Amino acid sequence: MKFFIDTANLAQIQEAHDLGILDGVTTNPTLMAKEGIKGEAAIMKHYEAICEMVEGDVSAEVLSTDFKTIVEEGKKLAAIHPNIVVKVPMIKDGVKAIKWFTENGIRTNCTLVFSAGQAILAAKAGAAYVSPFIGRIDDSNWDGVELIAQIAQIYSIQGFKTEILAASIRSALHIVKCAEVGADVCTCPVDSILGLLKHPLTDIGLAKFLEDAKKM
Ligand code: G3P
């Protein structure tokens, strides 16, 4: 399973990169706005900076919702760097645009996916990634990990090549559960990634070893 970081914060991207386990980055308009990135030139420059920091795929989201403008915007984003993956919302014009991008050699990440039906459509249109938002599904009292398992089963039976990118990850446990049910990628906040490190018995064991090392 690949590890992406879900942020537009350069310091956090660097922190995950320095850990040596980072395979890519996902962003969205909320995360970009949080970093104070405003205007087309600044947005383009920020994606360029991210692409220079990491070797893997970087998802850059379109801001329009009609086919023609999604395509125009996506072409500009894809031209920034070969690792840019154009993130397109799961709407009717979005599906049409994903199909257009697929036929024109531009890779896409279909975002805002909350059902198996939507994941089937994304795969049919040729999306490189599908992004089910598991934390938001949990928030609505359904089971986000269960959706990942269902999509993994459908894609395996049908032979779809689209990679399942589990998004809206809220904890280290989410990452473990997604790995268990066959997610291809988890995109996570840095805290959830660092949460994987933690176990009280590791801390207790290390304290004892360091104490005993003094007697060596
Ligand atoms: O990038 C999409 C997704 O990961 C957003 O997560 O925490 O806003 O539901 P969240």
Side-chain angles (χ1 to χ4, degrees), residues 6 26-28 31 87 111 133 135-136 167-170 187:
D6 195 27
T26 53
T27 62
N28 62 39
L31 297 170
K87 207 171 174 188
T111 189
F133 279 25
R136 293 191 196 184
S168 186
I169 296 278
R170 301 277 166 77
T187 190

Side-chain angles (χ1 to χ4, degrees), residues 31-187:
L31 297 170
M32 292 288 277
K34 211 168 142 189
E35 297 309 311
I37 317 296
K38 268 188 192 161
E40 194 180 325
I43 292 171
M44 297 288 173
K45 213 172 143 213
H46 201 73
Y47 285 136
E48 216 178 302
I50 295 174
C51 289
E52 277 163 19
M53 287 173 77
V54 296
E55 275 169 29
D57 287 344
V58 174
S59 285
E61 189 156 344
V62 296
L63 307 176
S64 34
T65 53
D66 69 281
F67 173 75
K68 204 165 164 270
T69 329
I70 293 174
V71 166
E72 288 316 310
E73 214 185 317
K75 283 198 282 190
K76 279 189 204 167
L77 291 170
I80 298 172
H81 193 279
N83 288 350
I84 288 282
V85 176
V86 179
K87 207 171 174 188
V88 182
M90 170 41 76
I91 53 175
K92 198 173 173 186
D93 280 35
V95 173
K96 275 171 68 181
I98 290 169
K99 181 71 180 169
W100 188 92
F101 287 129
T102 307
E103 284 170 349
N104 288 275
I106 293 174
R107 291 176 308 135
T108 53
N109 172 359
C110 183
T111 189
L112 288 167
V113 166
F114 295 90
S115 75
Q118 291 177 323
I120 291 171
L121 261 186
K124 283 294 289 178
Y129 297 102
V130 65
S131 288
F133 279 25
I134 70 165
R136 293 191 196 184
I137 292 172
D138 288 357
D139 292 343
S140 68
N141 294 320
W142 290 90
D143 187 340
V145 172
E146 187 57 42
L147 176 62
I148 300 293
Q150 190 185 12
I151 298 170
Q153 193 185 8
I154 292 169
Y155 280 12
S156 159
I157 290 168
Q158 298 297 333
F160 287 133
K161 299 283 174 262
T162 301
E163 291 189 63
I164 304 167
L165 192 164
S168 186
I169 296 278
R170 301 277 166 77
S171 65
L173 181 62
H174 261 161
I175 301 175
V176 173
K177 287 290 177 192
C178 284
E180 206 171 60
V181 299
D184 299 290
V185 190
C186 264
T187 190

